[in-house]
Amino acid sequence: MKSRRWRYTQLPTQVEDTLSGEEGEEEEKEEEKKEEEAVPAPAPQDPVEPQLTEASQVLGTSEIRQLSLHLPPRVAGRPWSLVFCTSKDGFSLRRLYRQMEGHSGPVLLVLRDQDGQVFKWTGSNSFFVKGDLDSLMMGSGSGQFGLWLDGDLYRGGSYPCATFNNEVLARQEQFCIKELEAWVLS
């Protein structure tokens, strides 16, 4: 089970109100306010589009841009390295595991299905990923997995689950995988 990571942000300290009978201090404060107001606020920056080491067989340019908007800030703008692709590495979960050896960074697993569904964590449980040599499962609840892939990476299944509060991904609960890619975001 993966623990939650918390990020703390230091809040600005409160400026204590000081009462001063000196007019010079008040004038200085007014001048500082005018200077602060004169400086334009920085424009919001566009998200950095990731650089891919190879072309994706699953994702188009617009989909890559959309996905990059939802990535954690620590990986935004980092290159995406294609580590596994069924079109060149074959349909084998063991091969996927071998290809992933030595990579410790975040991984984006993408597979082609007909409907495209975004999985968002509900917080109701922490059943993100479970894998063995026979299958790879993501999300769980009530004995079903949000996404299940067999050891041959040929068949998959998608079921509603509490982890993601998702609908079934494909048109049917069980489907055949056409293409799968694993990208390391480093």
Side-chain angles (χ1 to χ4, degrees):
M1 184 185 304
K2 200 172 188 178
S3 63
R4 293 184 187 172
R5 294 183 186 211
W6 295 92
R7 181 175 40 189
Y8 293 95
T9 304
Q10 185 175 359
L11 297 174
T13 58
Q14 292 182 335
V15 179
E16 294 181 35
D17 292 334
T18 56
L19 298 175
S20 173
E22 297 178 19
E23 290 178 25
E25 284 183 41
E26 287 177 18
E27 289 174 9
E28 284 178 25
K29 288 181 184 178
E30 285 180 31
E31 286 178 30
E32 287 176 6
K33 275 187 183 179
K34 287 178 185 176
E35 288 175 11
E36 288 174 5
E37 290 172 0
V39 176
Q45 294 182 356
D46 292 331
V48 179
E49 190 169 323
Q51 298 298 314
L52 280 61
T53 57
E54 295 181 43
S56 174
Q57 301 297 311
V58 178
L59 300 171
T61 306
S62 63
E63 293 164 321
I64 292 168
R65 284 187 192 126
Q66 283 295 321
L67 274 173
S68 67
L69 294 173
H70 299 283
L71 294 175
R74 66 187 175 100
V75 296
R78 290 192 178 178
W80 295 17
S81 301
L82 184 63
V83 177
F84 179 87
C85 178
T86 52
S87 64
K88 70 176 187 179
D89 297 312
F91 287 81
S92 168
L93 186 58
R94 289 176 191 233
R95 175 88 183 210
L96 170 65
Y97 290 154
R98 278 195 300 273
Q99 297 289 98
M100 296 302 299
E101 269 185 54
H103 296 283
S104 60
V107 175
L108 178 64
L109 189 66
V110 182
L111 68 99
R112 182 180 304 212
D113 76 348
Q114 282 111 8
D115 298 325
Q117 176 77 28
V118 176
F119 284 74
K120 294 182 181 177
W121 181 43
T122 62
S124 65
N125 64 37
S126 296
F127 304 133
F128 292 110
V129 177
K130 179 182 188 279
D132 56 30
L133 295 178
D134 298 322
S135 61
L136 181 62
M137 298 143 293
M138 294 170 227
S140 184
S142 302
Q144 298 189 56
F145 301 104
L147 183 64
W148 168 85
L149 308 175
D150 73 358
D152 294 326
L153 295 180
Y154 179 69
R155 296 195 187 279
S158 176
Y159 308 93
C161 76
T163 306
F164 305 116
N165 191 28
N166 63 294
E167 298 294 324
V168 174
L169 284 175
R171 293 182 185 171
Q172 298 176 1
E173 288 182 341
Q174 295 188 11
F175 55 88
C176 291
I177 298 168
K178 291 185 177 181
E179 189 75 41
L180 184 135
E181 296 175 341
W183 295 86
V184 173
L185 311 179
S186 55

mmCIF file of all heavy atoms in Angstrom, residues 8-25:
data_model
loop_
_atom_site.group_PDB
_atom_site.id
_atom_site.type_symbol
_atom_site.label_atom_id
_atom_site.label_comp_id
_atom_site.label_asym_id
_atom_site.label_seq_id
_atom_site.Cartn_x
_atom_site.Cartn_y
_atom_site.Cartn_z
ATOM 1 N N TYR A 8 3.379 20.658 2.258
ATOM 2 C CA TYR A 8 3.064 21.790 3.116
ATOM 3 C C TYR A 8 3.519 23.068 2.438
ATOM 4 O O TYR A 8 4.583 23.124 1.864
ATOM 5 C CB TYR A 8 3.772 21.647 4.467
ATOM 6 C CG TYR A 8 3.250 20.498 5.282
ATOM 7 C CD1 TYR A 8 3.885 19.268 5.242
ATOM 8 C CD2 TYR A 8 2.113 20.634 6.050
ATOM 9 C CE1 TYR A 8 3.415 18.206 5.969
ATOM 10 C CE2 TYR A 8 1.632 19.576 6.787
ATOM 11 C CZ TYR A 8 2.289 18.353 6.757
ATOM 12 O OH TYR A 8 1.808 17.313 7.475
ATOM 13 N N THR A 9 2.702 24.057 2.532
ATOM 14 C CA THR A 9 3.031 25.358 1.981
ATOM 15 C C THR A 9 3.075 26.351 3.127
ATOM 16 O O THR A 9 2.129 26.445 3.907
ATOM 17 C CB THR A 9 1.963 25.815 0.963
ATOM 18 O OG1 THR A 9 1.861 24.807 -0.037
ATOM 19 C CG2 THR A 9 2.343 27.131 0.335
ATOM 20 N N GLN A 10 4.175 27.049 3.219
ATOM 21 C CA GLN A 10 4.303 28.024 4.284
ATOM 22 C C GLN A 10 3.452 29.240 3.950
ATOM 23 O O GLN A 10 3.531 29.787 2.852
ATOM 24 C CB GLN A 10 5.760 28.435 4.460
ATOM 25 C CG GLN A 10 5.963 29.355 5.644
ATOM 26 C CD GLN A 10 7.430 29.642 5.868
ATOM 27 O OE1 GLN A 10 8.291 29.151 5.155
ATOM 28 N NE2 GLN A 10 7.724 30.438 6.863
ATOM 29 N N LEU A 11 2.624 29.617 4.881
ATOM 30 C CA LEU A 11 1.773 30.783 4.685
ATOM 31 C C LEU A 11 2.553 32.036 5.023
ATOM 32 O O LEU A 11 3.430 32.021 5.881
ATOM 33 C CB LEU A 11 0.543 30.691 5.599
ATOM 34 C CG LEU A 11 -0.379 29.508 5.324
ATOM 35 C CD1 LEU A 11 -1.469 29.456 6.391
ATOM 36 C CD2 LEU A 11 -0.998 29.627 3.959
ATOM 37 N N PRO A 12 2.253 33.135 4.368
ATOM 38 C CA PRO A 12 2.963 34.378 4.688
ATOM 39 C C PRO A 12 2.636 34.809 6.112
ATOM 40 O O PRO A 12 1.530 34.568 6.604
ATOM 41 C CB PRO A 12 2.432 35.386 3.671
ATOM 42 C CG PRO A 12 1.238 34.765 3.050
ATOM 43 C CD PRO A 12 1.284 33.301 3.316
ATOM 44 N N THR A 13 3.617 35.412 6.762
ATOM 45 C CA THR A 13 3.379 35.875 8.125
ATOM 46 C C THR A 13 2.493 37.104 8.093
ATOM 47 O O THR A 13 2.515 37.879 7.147
ATOM 48 C CB THR A 13 4.709 36.230 8.830
ATOM 49 O OG1 THR A 13 5.352 37.231 8.057
ATOM 50 C CG2 THR A 13 5.593 35.002 8.952
ATOM 51 N N GLN A 14 1.716 37.234 9.137
ATOM 52 C CA GLN A 14 0.840 38.401 9.211
ATOM 53 C C GLN A 14 1.644 39.613 9.622
ATOM 54 O O GLN A 14 2.529 39.536 10.463
ATOM 55 C CB GLN A 14 -0.272 38.173 10.233
ATOM 56 C CG GLN A 14 -1.261 37.113 9.802
ATOM 57 C CD GLN A 14 -2.367 36.955 10.815
ATOM 58 O OE1 GLN A 14 -2.198 37.255 11.977
ATOM 59 N NE2 GLN A 14 -3.501 36.472 10.358
ATOM 60 N N VAL A 15 1.350 40.703 8.989
ATOM 61 C CA VAL A 15 2.032 41.948 9.315
ATOM 62 C C VAL A 15 1.330 42.534 10.537
ATOM 63 O O VAL A 15 0.120 42.707 10.549
ATOM 64 C CB VAL A 15 1.957 42.946 8.136
ATOM 65 C CG1 VAL A 15 2.639 44.244 8.500
ATOM 66 C CG2 VAL A 15 2.578 42.333 6.900
ATOM 67 N N GLU A 16 2.135 42.768 11.562
ATOM 68 C CA GLU A 16 1.548 43.327 12.772
ATOM 69 C C GLU A 16 1.257 44.802 12.552
ATOM 70 O O GLU A 16 2.048 45.529 11.946
ATOM 71 C CB GLU A 16 2.512 43.166 13.936
ATOM 72 C CG GLU A 16 2.730 41.711 14.313
ATOM 73 C CD GLU A 16 3.671 41.593 15.499
ATOM 74 O OE1 GLU A 16 3.618 42.462 16.383
ATOM 75 O OE2 GLU A 16 4.458 40.654 15.513
ATOM 76 N N ASP A 17 0.109 45.184 12.998
ATOM 77 C CA ASP A 17 -0.247 46.599 12.899
ATOM 78 C C ASP A 17 0.550 47.358 13.951
ATOM 79 O O ASP A 17 0.551 47.006 15.116
ATOM 80 C CB ASP A 17 -1.739 46.805 13.147
ATOM 81 C CG ASP A 17 -2.581 46.218 12.036
ATOM 82 O OD1 ASP A 17 -2.084 46.107 10.902
ATOM 83 O OD2 ASP A 17 -3.726 45.870 12.315
ATOM 84 N N THR A 18 1.262 48.306 13.473
ATOM 85 C CA THR A 18 2.001 49.143 14.411
ATOM 86 C C THR A 18 1.440 50.544 14.349
ATOM 87 O O THR A 18 1.208 51.084 13.277
ATOM 88 C CB THR A 18 3.498 49.177 14.054
ATOM 89 O OG1 THR A 18 3.627 49.618 12.716
ATOM 90 C CG2 THR A 18 4.140 47.814 14.205
ATOM 91 N N LEU A 19 1.214 51.049 15.484
ATOM 92 C CA LEU A 19 0.727 52.425 15.564
ATOM 93 C C LEU A 19 1.926 53.321 15.759
ATOM 94 O O LEU A 19 2.717 53.135 16.656
ATOM 95 C CB LEU A 19 -0.247 52.575 16.730
ATOM 96 C CG LEU A 19 -1.508 51.720 16.616
ATOM 97 C CD1 LEU A 19 -2.325 51.868 17.892
ATOM 98 C CD2 LEU A 19 -2.325 52.149 15.420
ATOM 99 N N SER A 20 2.060 54.248 14.883
ATOM 100 C CA SER A 20 3.182 55.148 14.958
ATOM 101 C C SER A 20 2.692 56.569 14.769
ATOM 102 O O SER A 20 1.865 56.843 13.919
ATOM 103 C CB SER A 20 4.196 54.803 13.866
ATOM 104 O OG SER A 20 5.207 55.775 13.829
ATOM 105 N N GLY A 21 3.229 57.434 15.537
ATOM 106 C CA GLY A 21 2.852 58.834 15.441
ATOM 107 C C GLY A 21 3.659 59.554 14.391
ATOM 108 O O GLY A 21 3.429 60.718 14.125
ATOM 109 N N GLU A 22 4.622 58.858 13.793
ATOM 110 C CA GLU A 22 5.472 59.514 12.819
ATOM 111 C C GLU A 22 4.833 59.455 11.438
ATOM 112 O O GLU A 22 4.478 58.401 10.934
ATOM 113 C CB GLU A 22 6.844 58.840 12.776
ATOM 114 C CG GLU A 22 7.593 58.947 14.099
ATOM 115 C CD GLU A 22 8.922 58.220 14.031
ATOM 116 O OE1 GLU A 22 9.410 57.963 12.920
ATOM 117 O OE2 GLU A 22 9.442 57.919 15.092
ATOM 118 N N GLU A 23 4.696 60.601 10.812
ATOM 119 C CA GLU A 23 4.079 60.669 9.499
ATOM 120 C C GLU A 23 4.989 60.100 8.414
ATOM 121 O O GLU A 23 4.522 59.596 7.417
ATOM 122 C CB GLU A 23 3.737 62.118 9.159
ATOM 123 C CG GLU A 23 2.614 62.660 9.999
ATOM 124 C CD GLU A 23 2.334 64.115 9.652
ATOM 125 O OE1 GLU A 23 2.628 64.540 8.519
ATOM 126 O OE2 GLU A 23 1.808 64.806 10.518
ATOM 127 N N GLY A 24 6.275 60.135 8.610
ATOM 128 C CA GLY A 24 7.229 59.648 7.612
ATOM 129 C C GLY A 24 7.036 58.168 7.331
ATOM 130 O O GLY A 24 7.135 57.712 6.196
ATOM 131 N N GLU A 25 6.763 57.371 8.361
ATOM 132 C CA GLU A 25 6.563 55.930 8.183
ATOM 133 C C GLU A 25 5.311 55.658 7.353
ATOM 134 O O GLU A 25 5.307 54.783 6.495
ATOM 135 C CB GLU A 25 6.445 55.249 9.536
ATOM 136 C CG GLU A 25 7.776 55.086 10.255
ATOM 137 C CD GLU A 25 7.603 54.332 11.559
ATOM 138 O OE1 GLU A 25 6.834 53.356 11.604
ATOM 139 O OE2 GLU A 25 8.236 54.749 12.530
#
